[in-house]
Amino acid sequence: MWQCQGVTRPAAPAGAVRQGSLRELNLAVVLGRIAAAPRPPSRADVAAVTGLTRATVSAVVDDLVAGRLVGESEPAPRTGAGRPARGLVLAGNGPAGLGLEINVDYLAACVVDLAGEVRHHTVRRADLRPVSPADALARLAELAAVARVDAERQGLTLAGAALAVPGLVDAAGLVRLAPNLGWRDVPVPELLSGHPPLVDPVPGIPPLVVENEANLAALGELHADPDGPVSFLHVSGEVGIGAGIVLDGALFRGVRGWSGEIGHIPVQPEGRPCRCGGRGCLERYAGQEAVLAAAGLDRTNLPADTAAARLADLASADHPAARAALAEAGQALGIAVAGVVNLLDLDTVVLGGGYALLTPWLRPPVLAEVSRRVLTAGWSPVTVRPSALGPEAAVVGAAGSVVRRIVADPVGWLNRTG
Amino acid sequence: MWQCQGVTRPAAPAGAVRQGSLRELNLAVVLGRIAAAPRPPSRADVAAVTGLTRATVSAVVDDLVAGRLVGESEPAPRTGAGRPARGLVLAGNGPAGLGLEINVDYLAACVVDLAGEVRHHTVRRADLRPVSPADALARLAELAAVARVDAERQGLTLAGAALAVPGLVDAAGLVRLAPNLGWRDVPVPELLSGHPPLVDPVPGIPPLVVENEANLAALGELHADPDGPVSFLHVSGEVGIGAGIVLDGALFRGVRGWSGEIGHIPVQPEGRPCRCGGRGCLERYAGQEAVLAAAGLDRTNLPADTAAARLADLASADHPAARAALAEAGQALGIAVAGVVNLLDLDTVVLGGGYALLTPWLRPPVLAEVSRRVLTAGWSPVTVRPSALGPEAAVVGAAGSVVRRIVADPVGWLNRTG
DNA sequence: GCCAAATAATTCAACCACTGAACAAATAGC
DNA sequence: GCTATTTGTTCAGTGGTTGAATTATTTGGC
């Protein structure tokens, strides 16, 4: 009688449900089930799970197969008596997503197919700070062209691209600020428009999304582990510190897409001045520069992407300054994370980017601060674990965001004219 | 060509769309449109906005009118030539929500109809700290019974109830901890089960939801201003400090419903010890107790609910200690809010509860810290404004959460057997 | 005062996609 | 080889939307 449940998000009555929407919605439902299933399901399995009849599922699957979104796995999984089922899998010769990344000392491109498999991956190391944005994007376009050729050779069609950038991006793809690259107000889509198109346009799928790398890394982590938590904080420790917030299986971007600036959460209100204008920001205690300085390392002759590995080596060898530096960084990180957990009630924190390698030394102080400062820590333990993808999370997440979009709404792909 | 847009939440393929779902979904769509319209729309208006045909809208509206969810406003709005439209309004004689609140020094009950109008409101002042949870809930049940009679006298049917509690509530309605009430592990639904039922059961609508007051207050604020922001932080300053986070028009509750514990965000990592076990929590700098002490007021002979008014009076009269106390509280609040805004990229902060009255003195220091510490403050101003509902936000929000649920999913009400 | 234009709401045959049951296909076990 | 069992397809039936035609009710011009 006194059944209780939380105040849930209202079932969004976004748009009206027209006649044809029925099929459109069920295409997404069936495709989503096939994508989420641990092993290739039969039509009958899908029908049982969704509540649709087998007749309907068959009809929907026919459409999906005709549109190269779903294939049948020939060696059907055997169960027992009865006619053997034909397993349904996401097509490996249909649409794919192009992931791109520009970072301080490398460019990267990768291709991910519908099933989430990485089918192509290139990283080109280069210090991009002295390079103009236009030149950097020109080099990126070359990588993209190579990726596209490789994808087509494998029977894939690039349906969209996402570019990870270490900075703040607005809704139009303008990079407002990427401090570590030295970029300010760089109109990425415009600068790329002179180059050959990256992808084949598909209705409903934006050809290029420019997004903060920490956000895309969080998405990558989300999709890397289908059985993982659906709500978590992903903290990327690079030169700066960014965070991606995943809530209920979706990236939370904030009002303007600028969420996750955890690096500027105050951890010592009147502490060290920060280039953001504030004082005592987390970045000044747990950012790469601060940790290297505390460990007594000279960052000028240490490539940014090897700093974490170097620190991990030293810490493994019981180097006292490195250990102390990581303990201090972990404590600062823990103070910020405690605030986040108090605010958002998350139960999982993923340490990504450079932090992934350093998890053994960062986790204890982070957990100590969390258990001390989080009101609900007694009832609900917080898990702190390293990223599964590490530094590749952003590119892979970028490519994955494209295919996820197609899985969530396959109608555009199915209706494409090409 | 290079159209850009953010990585959006995937269209949730929650459940399969069966044949009948079509009508169910459209009932919600049409009802939602009628609810959201600034003035009573005609059937034709709804058809134009939703994209459904007028024939369909008429059929759907017939169902809604038959189910007492929608009525026709007799004095139809005149437009020009043509047959006059009949305005559609949410019914004032259909379902309503019962809002309840238990706080430190009062009990409250209110009834809100589908349109969001408050049709009944009672507050009973009493210090509930010395009262046992069972007795407190017994008194609350009396208030509820009175509210129910009044609602029925007005032709309303109570379809569900929500109870606001100043504490942490789990999914089963168990109040794990309500420090200022002195409650710990109070099974509210069980204690209320001996009393006459609060509401008439409706399928799909939980008869009683127990929820944190700050969360419900944020919902109240959301519905109080239909043209207001859909994402904001609502900070309730009472004895403790709680926050409700509204994202895209929905309350964000966290993994276990324990989000919003902004009072325990560290603002001085090694500062004043807090009863939560941590140090330097916001509550120790901007909570009622801290502010009163800083202002030189004795909180023991000052009822909790008049403390804010007293402070506002003193501050208005240029009382130096009160001014200084509020400046210090505002600064601490600003540090915490800056962290939240950096993390979530919100552009609106609503000061509620006791803070509403104190906004003139809290806003400047809060804004100062925000503009100093938020990375994106230069491009995106943050608005800090007082709550529109003030201390009534939680009860009204509680009752409103019930009717919102019905509007979002009217099928349960329409299919009820009663 | 009457008629045309305009807008609102309803009616109705057509159609689309799902439903449910029957049926064909394919295998395991006896 | 026969039965039980499960998968997948076929097909008439049905619910709900569609679009056009029709009715209803007002304004405005002559």
Side-chain angles (χ1 to χ4, degrees):
Chain A
M1 166 75 206
W2 291 103
Q3 161 211 356
C4 271
Q5 67 186 62
V7 177
T8 54
R9 182 178 300 258
V17 186
R18 315 271 313 252
Q19 175 110 187
S21 318
L22 233 165
R23 173 51 69 87
E24 292 182 7
L25 289 167
N26 280 332
L27 283 167
V29 168
V30 169
L31 187 58
R33 277 296 161 188
I34 294 171
R39 89 191 78 248
S42 66
R43 290 164 175 76
D45 291 336
V46 174
V49 171
T50 59
L52 296 168
T53 61
R54 286 175 306 182
T56 303
V57 172
S58 278
V60 170
V61 167
D62 285 348
D63 285 0
L64 292 172
V65 170
R68 284 193 308 157
L69 290 174
V70 164
E72 298 194 333
S73 62
E74 270 320 327
R78 206 54 45 92
T79 53
R83 171 176 169 175
R86 274 179 288 170
L88 300 172
V89 293
L90 293 177
N93 63 343
L98 173 64
L100 301 170
E101 182 175 2
I102 293 191
N103 222 312
V104 175
D105 38 26
Y106 65 93
L107 295 170
C110 80
V111 173
V112 168
D113 68 16
L114 264 191
E117 295 296 315
V118 177
R119 302 284 288 266
H120 173 95
H121 192 191
T122 321
V123 179
R124 184 178 296 177
R125 312 218 152 261
D127 185 354
L128 290 161
R129 281 169 290 197
V131 179
S132 77
D135 286 347
L137 290 169
R139 292 195 205 173
L140 189 70
E142 288 171 25
L143 254 66
V146 173
R148 190 176 181 189
V149 169
D150 191 20
E152 281 168 1
R153 192 183 51 74
Q154 298 182 64
L156 293 165
T157 304
L158 293 186
L163 167 60
V165 177
L168 298 170
V169 187
D170 76 7
L174 178 72
V175 176
R176 301 292 283 263
L177 184 66
N180 299 318
L181 276 175
W183 288 17
R184 181 179 286 273
D185 293 326
V186 174
V188 170
E190 187 183 310
L191 289 177
L192 275 174
S193 63
H195 297 275
L198 304 178
V199 301
D200 296 316
V202 169
I205 306 292
L208 177 67
V209 168
V210 186
E211 177 66 81
N212 178 273
E213 58 151 359
N215 282 350
L216 291 172
L219 273 185
E221 205 62 33
L222 172 69
H223 299 147
D225 180 8
D227 303 323
V230 295
S231 299
F232 61 87
L233 179 74
H234 181 272
V235 186
S236 302
E238 309 286 354
V239 175
I241 305 175
I245 305 168
V246 174
L247 306 177
D248 295 330
L251 183 65
F252 175 72
R253 305 179 66 253
V255 173
R256 301 173 205 77
W258 299 337
S259 70
E261 287 302 331
I262 197 175
H264 298 279
I265 285 184
V267 295
Q268 290 285 355
E270 300 306 325
R272 304 177 189 161
C274 179
R275 65 188 149 70
C276 78
R279 277 181 165 274
C281 297
L282 172 63
E283 198 162 303
R284 298 292 292 113
Y285 298 84
Q288 200 178 87
E289 199 172 319
V291 179
L292 290 178
L297 296 178
D298 180 4
R299 80 180 175 91
T300 54
N301 55 14
L302 192 65
D305 57 328
T306 60
R310 185 70 194 285
L311 276 168
D313 287 344
L314 289 174
S316 299
D318 278 331
H319 185 280
R323 286 282 181 103
L326 289 173
E328 190 192 348
Q331 191 189 8
L333 188 56
I335 291 171
V337 166
V340 174
V341 174
N342 267 319
L343 186 75
L344 297 182
D345 180 34
L346 298 173
D347 60 1
T348 305
V349 176
V350 178
L351 299 182
Y355 284 164
L357 282 176
L358 301 171
T359 304
W361 301 278
L362 293 174
R363 190 198 336 234
V366 168
L367 283 176
E369 292 298 322
V370 165
S371 62
R372 183 184 164 203
R373 299 180 184 275
V374 171
L375 197 62
T376 60
W379 305 305
S380 64
V382 174
T383 303
V384 175
R385 63 169 181 78
S387 152
L389 296 176
E392 296 168 12
V395 228
V396 174
S401 73
V402 175
V403 295
R404 285 283 152 171
R405 209 186 278 264
I406 296 173
V407 171
D409 182 15
V411 178
W413 167 265
L414 293 175
N415 290 345
R416 78 192 186 285
T417 52
Chain B
M1 166 73 207
W2 292 104
Q3 162 211 355
C4 272
Q5 67 186 57
V7 178
T8 55
R9 181 178 301 260
V17 185
R18 317 271 312 253
Q19 173 110 188
S21 318
L22 233 167
R23 174 50 69 88
E24 292 183 8
L25 289 168
N26 280 332
L27 283 167
V29 168
V30 170
L31 187 58
R33 276 296 160 187
I34 293 171
R39 86 191 82 250
S42 67
R43 290 163 175 77
D45 291 337
V46 174
V49 171
T50 59
L52 296 167
T53 61
R54 284 173 305 184
T56 303
V57 172
S58 278
V60 169
V61 167
D62 285 348
D63 285 0
L64 293 172
V65 170
R68 285 193 309 156
L69 289 173
V70 164
E72 297 193 334
S73 62
E74 271 319 327
R78 205 52 47 90
T79 53
R83 171 175 169 175
R86 274 179 287 170
L88 300 172
V89 294
L90 294 176
N93 62 343
L98 173 63
L100 301 169
E101 182 175 2
I102 294 191
N103 222 313
V104 176
D105 38 25
Y106 64 93
L107 296 169
C110 80
V111 173
V112 167
D113 68 15
L114 265 190
E117 294 296 314
V118 177
R119 303 283 288 266
H120 172 95
H121 191 193
T122 322
V123 178
R124 184 179 296 178
R125 312 216 152 261
D127 186 352
L128 290 161
R129 280 169 292 196
V131 180
S132 77
D135 286 349
L137 289 170
R139 292 196 205 172
L140 189 69
E142 289 171 26
L143 255 66
V146 173
R148 189 175 182 189
V149 169
D150 191 19
E152 282 168 358
R153 192 183 50 74
Q154 297 181 64
L156 293 165
T157 305
L158 293 186
L163 167 59
V165 178
L168 297 170
V169 188
D170 76 6
L174 178 73
V175 176
R176 302 291 282 263
L177 182 68
N180 299 317
L181 276 174
W183 287 17
R184 182 178 285 274
D185 293 327
V186 175
V188 170
E190 186 183 312
L191 291 175
L192 275 174
S193 63
H195 297 275
L198 304 178
V199 300
D200 297 317
V202 169
I205 306 292
L208 177 66
V209 168
V210 186
E211 176 65 81
N212 178 273
E213 59 152 359
N215 282 349
L216 291 172
L219 273 185
E221 205 62 32
L222 172 68
H223 299 146
D225 180 7
D227 303 324
V230 294
S231 299
F232 59 87
L233 179 75
H234 182 272
V235 185
S236 301
E238 309 286 353
V239 176
I241 305 176
I245 305 168
V246 175
L247 306 178
D248 295 331
L251 183 64
F252 176 73
R253 305 178 66 254
V255 173
R256 300 172 206 79
W258 299 337
S259 70
E261 287 302 330
I262 196 175
H264 298 279
I265 285 184
V267 297
Q268 291 284 355
E270 298 306 324
R272 304 175 188 163
C274 178
R275 64 186 149 71
C276 78
R279 278 182 163 273
C281 296
L282 172 63
E283 197 161 304
R284 299 292 293 113
Y285 297 85
Q288 201 178 87
E289 198 173 318
V291 179
L292 289 178
L297 297 177
D298 181 5
R299 78 180 177 92
T300 55
N301 56 13
L302 191 65
D305 57 328
T306 60
R310 184 72 194 284
L311 276 168
D313 286 346
L314 289 173
S316 298
D318 277 331
H319 186 282
R323 285 284 180 100
L326 289 173
E328 189 192 347
Q331 192 189 8
L333 188 56
I335 291 171
V337 165
V340 174
V341 173
N342 266 319
L343 186 74
L344 297 181
D345 180 34
L346 298 173
D347 60 0
T348 305
V349 176
V350 179
L351 298 181
Y355 284 164
L357 281 176
L358 301 171
T359 303
W361 301 278
L362 293 174
R363 192 202 331 236
V366 169
L367 284 177
E369 292 299 323
V370 165
S371 62
R372 184 183 162 205
R373 297 180 185 277
V374 171
L375 198 62
T376 60
W379 305 304
S380 62
V382 174
T383 303
V384 176
R385 64 169 180 77
S387 151
L389 295 176
E392 296 167 14
V395 229
V396 174
S401 73
V402 176
V403 295
R404 285 283 152 172
R405 210 187 278 263
I406 296 174
V407 170
D409 182 15
V411 179
W413 167 265
L414 294 174
N415 290 347
R416 78 193 187 286
T417 51

